[in-house]
Amino acid sequence: MYIYNTATRKKEEFIPRFEGKVSMYTCGPTVYHYAHIGNLRSYIMEDVLEKYLRFDGLDVKRVMNITDVGHLTSDGDTGDDKMLKGAKREHKTVMEIAKFYTDAFFEDCKKLNIKRPDVVEPATACIDEFIRVISSLIEKGYAYEAGGNIYFDTSKLKKYYIFNDFNEEDLEVGVREGVEADENKRNKADFVLWFTKSKFDDQELKWDSPWGVGYPGWHIECSCISMKHLGEYLDLHCGGIDNAFPHHTNEIAQSESYLGHEWCSYWFHVHHLNTNSGKMSKSSGEFLTVSLLEEKGYNPLVYRFFCLQSHYRKSLVFSYENLDNAAVAYNKLTAKIAALLKEEGGAVEQDKYDELMSGFKAALDNDLNTSLAITALYDVVKADTTPATKLKLIGEFDKVLSIGLIEEAKKLSDNKEKGEEIPAEIKELVEKRAEARKAKDFALADEIRNKITELGYIVEETRQGTVIKKA
Ligand code: AMP
Ligand code: ZN
């Protein structure tokens, strides 16, 4: 398989350091709010990558952190701790907020068929590890104490900017634009490893350290959690493209200085989900969640399908119109698979199977081209071969795509068979809801839909009309 490595700016053949085994690290969510569907685009594409590596026969160990301390509102070490901000907003403790939004994140992942990583580690569980690595960085001369905080000294590196061509001047402009400069830093690009004395006196979570009571910076988390579970060498590191600088740049600086050798071989970055008004972010702009899509009648797997239709290295614009188009295509596809399920299966034609499978693999081998993998799926549906061949291929493809193709098709055919069984009461409510929507009385329409849900049914809007399903 070839993947684009952001660190070398080239498509490279993916060769893990130890044959047959892949160590994979993913930056997890900062759990001060729900994940928005932009964050989830990154996790969906990373999930496809992980599943494809497994599909290819590799033994993947995937680790993800949960950021529950140290991520400040500006990635440049200024602003409030995001967790504290979330706790204040909801009048709860930081740990209550962390638990609630960690659970909510994994609920969303489940709905989107995103597999849980093998190891999930919250930052607050690894404080001793952070202190050990920071102490070693100080000893080796890569870190210094100033104004009470511990900073990483970027001037000690031969090359700091890995992913971009930023130079000191560019960075100075960036600093002037948004946030006040930290007087303690020896160099503009230096970053905090451990905060002891800072302007956030009300920081809720603090730990004792050789440098006084304080808390870790965000970047050190990922270096330490990765090394703790995956060792000195990492094959693959993933994240959204906004994490490339400064977060991943700083991870590389710390890890390689600590280890004394190169650390991670491949960097996989997913580009952003944007709305018409710009990047979707937790702190500003339009904030769409999986639950909101569900409330509007969309199957979360339609959103996954929508993401797979585009390449991960292109930014993707979200609009309801685009999602509706994906819903129409998804419903047509599952209807075709439902029809296949009803046909006489026949035998699997191995030649056809191999040929169609190689189309799918070629797409994903080429830098995880999921949109071509979807085309390969359509090729299967259209192919001149037996239903058994097609269904076997679809089942295999869906181990990677995870869009619930067979399950949804089964639901569809079950519902069709039981079509007459939809109670008159439900049909009446659906009609009333349609009238309310027509009259633009969306509050009433929502109220009626809640009633339908309470009665155990789901209404979904598609271009082909309203679909009623048993929940
Ligand atoms: P956070 O919870 O803010 O730490 O972000 C979790 C993940 O989502 C990170 O890998 C981010 O790079 C990624 N991310 C943030 N915003 C977007 C977006 N609009 N589109 C895609 N990925 C994003
Ligand atoms: Zn990270």
Side-chain angles (χ1 to χ4, degrees), residues 75 85 150 191 259 397 458:
D75 287 351
K85 229 176 133 183
I150 307 295
F191 54 92
L259 293 166
F397 290 9
I458 297 171

Side-chain angles (χ1 to χ4, degrees), residues 288-332:
L288 302 176
T289 59
V290 172
S291 315
L292 190 76
L293 295 187
E294 280 184 303
E295 277 166 32
K296 290 186 184 290
Y298 293 98
N299 175 348
L301 294 181
V302 164
Y303 177 65
R304 184 171 173 119
F305 181 67
F306 167 74
C307 289
L308 299 190
Q309 285 174 318
S310 307
H311 195 251
Y312 76 90
R313 265 192 310 114
K314 286 198 181 121
S315 50
L316 177 61
V317 176
F318 177 85
S319 70
Y320 282 107
E321 202 187 347
N322 293 345
L323 192 63
D324 282 338
N325 289 336
V328 171
Y330 182 79
N331 291 335
K332 277 190 187 162

Side-chain angles (χ1 to χ4, degrees), residues 98-213:
K99 170 151 185 19
F100 180 83
Y101 288 113
T102 303
D103 291 348
F105 172 71
F106 286 113
E107 275 299 306
D108 286 344
C109 287
K110 217 193 249 170
K111 288 177 187 165
L112 291 164
N113 280 347
I114 298 170
K115 179 187 161 294
R116 191 184 167 96
D118 304 289
V119 178
V120 175
E121 181 92 276
T124 48
C126 297
I127 302 297
D128 290 350
E129 201 69 18
F130 306 155
I131 292 175
R132 199 174 57 73
V133 173
I134 296 169
S135 304
S136 164
L137 286 171
I138 296 173
E139 247 168 60
K140 292 183 163 111
Y142 286 106
Y144 60 91
E145 192 167 351
N149 298 329
I150 307 295
Y151 293 86
F152 186 94
D153 187 347
T154 53
S155 71
K156 293 280 154 58
L157 303 176
K158 277 199 207 101
K159 183 168 161 57
Y160 168 66
Y161 297 104
I162 305 289
F163 301 110
N164 46 24
D165 300 319
F166 284 164
N167 53 38
E168 292 276 322
E169 271 171 38
D170 287 340
L171 195 71
E172 264 182 61
V173 173
V175 169
R176 266 193 239 115
E177 268 170 9
V179 289
E180 71 268 36
D182 181 343
E183 298 292 320
N184 296 319
K185 291 185 184 181
R186 287 186 193 158
N187 314 287
K188 286 266 162 26
D190 291 357
F191 54 92
V192 177
L193 297 166
W194 186 268
F195 293 97
T196 52
K197 192 161 157 274
S198 67
K199 60 190 175 108
F200 330 116
D201 294 331
D202 54 352
Q203 180 71 12
E204 203 178 294
L205 300 177
K206 295 178 196 171
W207 294 265
D208 207 3
S209 82
W211 322 287
V213 173

Side-chain angles (χ1 to χ4, degrees), residues 27-30 36 38-39 41-43 71 239-243 271-273 279-280 282:
C27 290
T30 308
H36 56 62
N39 301 124
R41 178 192 189 198
S42 287
Y43 295 113
H71 192 175
I241 189 70
D242 59 317
N243 280 168
H271 286 243
H272 283 148
L273 181 82
K279 179 196 156 196
M280 191 171 290
K282 283 190 197 177

